[in-house]
Amino acid sequence: MGNLKSKQSIHGLLLIDKSKGISSNQALTLVKRMLNPKKIGHTGTLDPLATGLLPICLGDATKFSSFLLDENKTYEADIQLGSISSTGDAEGKIEKINSYKIPSIEKINEILKSFLGESKQKPPMYSALKKDGIPLYKLARQGIAVEREERSIVIKLIDLQSIKGDLITIKVCCSKGTYIRTLGEDIGKKLGTGAYLTSLRRVAVGKIGIHQALTLDDYEKLSLPEKLKKIIPIDSYLDEFNKINLNKIETEQMKNGQILKKIDLNEGIYRLYANNDEFLGLGHIDSEFNLKVKRLNSLI
């Protein structure tokens, strides 16, 4: 892989199209071997069964990764009707439903629409959530089930993409913390057919789309300069926040953690830049129009 011996000061966002069969942490390890960055992390786990967009934060981008973690996620999922799975996906023990009728497209669309909006969802046992430091999926493999509290989730969009016999494909845009496997099972319950996921692909995180990502195999084939060119600047995925240009004095005040008073802008989070268009970090204007540091880029 052309490993670099010393830790590299690499900062930004790398968009990987994770393949099936490897975990998010394994994908992270492979990127780490290729680039040897001082800091690295990903922004939302994908199960080994799942494929698709895995944003990887390098260096100072890790300081802003929570903003991507909080973004809505968009998935495409294949759901098998007429059977249930012990894990909610194709990796579990499959049990066929003996008597069921394939619903009409109208009925499927009606049921899908019933999931729109805010609801409660119980995380599955086969998940990376932890109980006393142990991932739930490890307990589940031992036949141990523990109580899980329901969580509030929001389904922003849910559309039927295709139907082939008893296999349906849906597209879902949802809030963080939504388990699509559980959603698939719940769809099967409402349809009266049972259901489990046969495939899952994340196609977007906020405004970032899968078309911007590279597979690990393709990324590995690039030269080091080409690899570095694929890394997106830290602030490029924070463009939902308006920009504030600071003069030299204001820049120094922000660096020192001081408050800039009576800023003539609305309350909220802003991207902060020095006069030379250098990204400084994020600031927050409060209800009294004072600008305070929220998170600074350590490169400044």
Side-chain angles (χ1 to χ4, degrees):
M1 289 191 179
N3 295 356
L4 299 170
K5 291 183 179 180
S6 58
K7 296 287 184 182
Q8 304 297 304
S9 293
I10 302 172
H11 307 274
L13 188 68
L14 178 62
L15 304 177
I16 292 298
D17 182 351
K18 188 188 83 65
S19 60
K20 184 178 178 180
I22 67 168
S23 71
S24 296
N25 282 333
Q26 285 172 324
L28 202 70
T29 298
L30 291 170
V31 172
K32 191 174 182 180
R33 288 175 184 170
M34 287 186 235
L35 298 177
N36 201 13
K38 290 182 178 179
K39 289 183 182 179
I40 189 170
H42 62 70
T43 60
T45 300
L46 278 174
D47 289 341
L49 174 71
T51 67
L53 185 58
L54 182 68
I56 292 179
C57 293
L58 301 159
D60 261 28
T62 58
K63 298 177 71 173
F64 303 91
S65 61
S66 60
F67 293 95
L68 273 182
L69 282 167
D70 291 340
E71 290 278 14
N72 294 327
K73 312 296 191 298
T74 304
Y75 299 90
E76 291 177 352
D78 290 331
I79 301 173
Q80 178 68 54
L81 306 180
S83 299
I84 58 175
S85 165
S86 60
T87 60
D89 59 30
E91 295 184 332
K93 182 180 178 181
I94 308 301
E95 180 183 341
K96 289 190 175 183
I97 305 298
N98 292 324
S99 179
Y100 74 96
K101 183 180 178 182
I102 296 177
S104 66
I105 292 177
E106 291 76 19
K107 181 63 176 178
I108 293 171
N109 279 322
E110 177 189 334
I111 293 300
L112 292 181
K113 286 180 181 178
S114 72
F115 287 94
L116 285 170
E118 187 173 357
S119 63
K120 296 286 188 180
Q121 187 187 70
K122 182 181 287 188
M125 273 301 299
Y126 282 88
S127 67
L129 291 177
K130 293 182 179 180
K131 172 72 173 178
D132 299 327
I134 303 172
L136 294 187
Y137 67 83
K138 288 189 176 181
L139 296 175
R141 286 170 182 167
Q142 299 171 35
I144 301 171
V146 297
E147 282 298 315
R148 289 98 64 204
E149 289 187 11
E150 289 187 331
R151 295 178 167 190
S152 291
I153 63 166
V154 179
I155 304 295
K156 304 275 187 177
L157 173 146
I158 182 166
D159 281 338
L160 179 65
Q161 301 289 291
S162 68
I163 177 168
K164 297 176 183 177
D166 52 7
L167 183 72
I168 65 172
T169 300
I170 63 170
K171 186 173 185 178
V172 182
C173 178
C174 54
S175 62
K176 71 171 185 176
T178 303
Y179 286 91
I180 307 299
R181 278 180 296 144
T182 300
L183 177 63
E185 289 179 310
D186 290 342
I187 289 169
K189 287 174 185 175
K190 280 196 174 186
L191 287 172
T193 63
Y196 68 92
L197 248 62
T198 59
S199 72
L200 180 64
R201 182 162 177 78
R202 186 157 67 194
V203 295
V205 175
K207 296 177 182 178
I208 302 171
I210 189 64
H211 64 281
Q212 299 170 262
L214 281 175
T215 65
L216 284 167
D217 285 344
D218 287 342
Y219 190 66
E220 185 179 359
K221 292 172 186 176
L222 299 177
S223 66
L224 181 57
E226 289 172 328
K227 285 185 174 75
L228 296 177
K229 282 182 181 179
K230 295 296 182 182
I231 297 170
I232 303 169
I234 296 168
D235 55 322
S236 64
Y237 65 87
L238 300 172
D239 60 358
E240 64 185 285
F241 305 120
N242 289 327
K243 180 178 179 180
I244 296 178
N245 280 312
L246 304 173
N247 61 36
K248 189 174 181 179
I249 294 174
E250 291 169 336
T251 297
E252 289 305 314
Q253 288 174 321
M254 284 286 99
K255 288 180 180 180
N256 293 326
Q258 295 175 255
I259 297 172
L260 301 186
K261 297 186 177 181
K262 304 304 176 187
I263 304 296
D264 188 21
L265 290 169
N266 293 330
E267 182 178 355
I269 298 173
Y270 290 82
R271 288 175 293 149
L272 306 179
Y273 291 82
N275 274 334
N276 62 356
D277 231 24
E278 179 185 16
F279 178 60
L280 303 175
L282 297 175
H284 180 260
I285 294 178
D286 62 23
S287 58
E288 296 180 348
F289 306 103
N290 297 320
L291 175 60
K292 303 175 183 178
V293 167
K294 185 172 181 67
R295 197 154 298 163
L296 282 185
N297 184 353
S298 64
L299 296 176
I300 59 176

